[in-house]
Amino acid sequence: MSGGRVTAPTTDHKPARAHRAAFILKKALLSAFVALVLFSLMIGIRTEAGPTGQLIYWTRFSELASLVGAVFIGSIIVELMRQWLGPAPTANLIPPPVQNGLALAGRLIAPALLIFTLLVPVIFYQQRYILDLAILVLTYVMLGWGLNVVVGLAGLLDLGYVAFYAVGAYSYALLATTFGLSFWICLPLAGILASLWGVMLGFPVLRLRGDYLAIVTLAFGEIIRLVIVNWQSLTGGPNGISGIPRPTLFGIPLTPADDGLAARLGIEFDPTHRIVFLFYVILALALITNWVTIRLRRLPIGRAWEALREDEVACRALGINTTTTKLTAFATGALFGGFAGAFFATRQGFISPESFTFQESALVLAIVVLGGMGSQLGVALAALALIGGFELFRGLEQYRMLVFGIAMVLLMIWRPRGLIGHRAPTVYLKRAEAISSDLVKEGHG
Amino acid sequence: MSDTDSILTVDRLSMRFGGIVAVNELSFDAGRRRITALIGPNGAGKTTVFNCITGFYKPTGGTMRLAHDNGREIALERLNDFRISKQAKVARTFQNIRLFPGMTALENLMVAQHNALMLASGFTFLGLFGAPSWRAAERRAIERATFWLKRVGLIDRADDAAGNLAYGDQRRLEIARAMCTEPALLCLDEPAAGLNARESAALSELLLSIRADHGTSILLIEHDMSVVMEISDHVVVMDYGVKIAEGAPQTVRDDPRVIAAYLGADEQEAIAVMESDA
């Protein structure tokens, strides 16, 4: 009797183990098959253009076989580890005390980051490369904050944000080169023109939601780029616009000339002056964007944007005009994109349609999503991580994209709602408590 | 105002979806400062009537006239969408609660005061620079929200996300949110659904006090007969898109057509109607 009892579980256990082994084997085989299909053309056959232009190719089956084998064994190892370690609860991966500590650090990180940013030109004055990189990062921080209004607050997925960046850049370039207007006059004009385009995009897509909205905004971005490429007489087509004037400090140019800033101050001219000046210009523009967005969130319009993201039908039942609410979100986002575009044009001194491809839109959207939709600090951190990190991996050469991709995938597993996924309330009676990202909607349009 | 004065006059309202007639030439009045209940078996077209009144559907026929206290009359069928709430001052709640789950209870009530606050913030421009007039308006809005949070017993949960509240609390918060729009007519779509007996009793009390203290007229759809019989002044019974009876709760309850409609449609509800006799 007792013997039977003891043996019973083991006989039950064996098929379970065999079943598991079969499952792992099946999964590994499937992975190996996918790898075979993928790599057979990429690695299995090497092609090259011959001296007379003919196609030369040779096969590399041994490399292909070793790679597929590596995928097969790797898949088995990953699956075995998963079974030994059990399922990883991503939400509780970090223990609560560490999370609380992170929250405290989170409160200190914004002021610390701001102070550090203000001091960047002082610390890195001799390193032109870092200053240039800092300006680039700040430009993307500003673009991220601008897109955050549309995607993060209003929940409208915009894949064509680069269109407004382009409108801003070309507005400044054309106004400055044609009419000789100064940067400080053109800056607001560029912003206004971009937000006009924002409203024009907004009108036809008001009724669209989700994927459909994303597709139309994507198309809009491409339309703007193609118009720029083809309208040769105005925009110079693919050749772009060169000789865009540099910004001046209240009319004083930053040049080695006699009326330049250096001569007036009686100090020796240094081209870095101009870089530092540009750095503070973009920093000021970005901080204005941030300040305005933070203020707007606490105003009825900002609350209406967030309410729209949460539930559009309820908004209508409360008497909120969803049409104007959506249009203002597009216009505000576009305004900041336009400012950033004007800055880009003046910094580069040369613009062409190549700078305004879909890849830019995708990058800015990645910054917003990675940062945590709606979070200002998250977007700034994500811009730093994405743009700065991309430069950091420069040493890895051809593996840069691979490392970068893996880093992003890991980050999204660890924090599926972005670096800072929770939402801070805009008004409170007793205490402002962060709202968990599980409750906050992502918007459906 | 006399007792017979009506705030809403629905006249031969029809709503067709393709070949399906959801509401067919329905006429009824909702009295001013009265609680009017719209009842009927499932699929009778009650929510469709609500959606027509609150502008979510454009009716295919008929008129809906709203008479404000100051004598202003509004043809609801000509307004659409958000204007029903903004101009006609008709607020509603939803059968499946539609709060803003990621916003706090207080924020939900602030969003409800959007139009008043939008004006006060000078369409954002005054508010952006923190004008004193805007700050005062915001303070008043918070006070109003606080008042309603106290009223529905959710003041301790003011800073909690609406999505974290218990079901009954969410129902009450939705009513508070609708009341923050300062409606003349409050339309409640099954406010007692999913509430226990104690919560339903509290809801009845809340609705009666809204009518008494704020002069708001109430139109409600409800399946919970204890609530309907206790608080309604007037009951309209619908079945298959047409009105089959109307009158005081007692008269309607004894109407053989009503009993037949409920018996034919749903035994449970018919029993509920007849048991509320006792």
Side-chain angles (χ1 to χ4, degrees), chain A residues 204-425:
Chain A
V205 302
L206 277 173
R207 294 178 159 273
L208 302 179
R209 286 178 164 198
D211 310 349
Y212 303 97
L213 177 73
I215 297 285
V216 174
T217 52
L218 179 108
F220 180 77
E222 284 301 288
I223 288 169
I224 294 277
R225 193 177 64 82
L226 290 173
V227 166
I228 290 170
V229 169
N230 289 298
W231 196 351
Q232 296 246 3
S233 57
L234 182 75
T235 63
N239 300 327
I241 299 172
S242 54
I244 300 167
R246 302 296 189 172
T248 56
L249 183 67
F250 304 111
I252 307 167
L254 289 112
T255 57
D258 289 342
D259 63 342
L261 184 69
R264 287 200 190 191
L265 290 177
I267 53 171
E268 201 181 328
F269 176 77
D270 184 344
T272 313
H273 290 162
R274 193 170 56 80
I275 307 295
V276 171
F277 175 62
L278 282 172
F279 177 86
Y280 283 116
V281 168
I282 185 65
L283 181 61
L285 284 174
L287 288 179
I288 288 170
T289 308
N290 186 32
W291 181 80
V292 169
T293 311
I294 288 174
R295 291 297 302 219
L296 284 178
R297 266 197 79 209
R298 290 177 192 154
L299 286 171
I301 186 69
R303 284 203 200 103
W305 288 339
E306 292 203 76
L308 195 66
R309 177 194 65 203
E310 298 282 317
D311 195 324
E312 191 177 334
V313 172
C315 279
R316 282 169 26 200
L318 294 173
I320 295 174
N321 186 340
T322 50
T323 306
T324 52
T325 306
K326 278 185 189 175
L327 288 182
T328 48
F330 272 119
T332 311
L335 179 78
F336 297 135
F339 286 157
F343 174 81
F344 176 76
T346 194
R347 179 179 96 104
Q348 300 289 85
F350 164 76
I351 51 168
S352 74
E354 271 171 45
S355 310
F356 307 107
T357 54
F358 169 66
Q359 213 181 344
E360 294 292 308
S361 292
L363 185 57
V364 178
L365 188 66
I367 286 171
V368 174
V369 172
L370 200 65
M373 294 204 276
S375 163
Q376 296 292 100
L377 178 63
V379 168
L381 289 175
L384 187 66
L386 273 185
I387 310 297
F390 201 63
E391 288 298 316
L392 205 70
F393 296 137
R394 202 173 268 283
L396 298 170
E397 290 173 10
Q398 71 263 46
Y399 301 109
R400 184 158 73 146
M401 269 305 205
L402 194 68
V403 171
F404 194 64
I406 291 170
M408 269 191 82
V409 168
L410 286 178
L411 198 64
M412 284 333 257
I413 291 173
W414 174 48
R415 303 222 102 170
R417 292 294 295 262
L419 288 171
I420 299 177
H422 58 74
R423 173 182 175 272

Side-chain angles (χ1 to χ4, degrees), chain A residues 310-311 316 319 423 426 430, chain B residues 81-82 98 102 107 115 159:
Chain A
E310 298 282 317
D311 195 324
R316 282 169 26 200
R423 173 182 175 272
T426 58
K430 292 190 195 73
Chain B
D81 209 33
F82 71 95
R98 280 183 174 272
E107 281 181 306
N115 288 315
D159 298 324

Side-chain angles (χ1 to χ4, degrees), chain A residues 61-118:
Chain A
F61 289 140
S62 56
E63 283 96 332
L64 179 66
S66 57
L67 208 70
V68 170
V71 167
F72 180 75
I73 292 163
S75 173
I76 289 177
I77 290 169
V78 166
E79 208 47 51
L80 279 176
M81 275 175 69
R82 195 179 280 171
Q83 299 216 342
W84 284 332
L85 298 174
T90 48
N92 301 325
L93 215 55
I94 307 154
V98 179
Q99 276 186 349
N100 290 341
L102 281 175
L104 182 71
R107 245 169 285 151
L108 297 174
I109 203 166
L113 208 63
L114 180 65
I115 291 167
F116 176 74
T117 314
L118 281 168

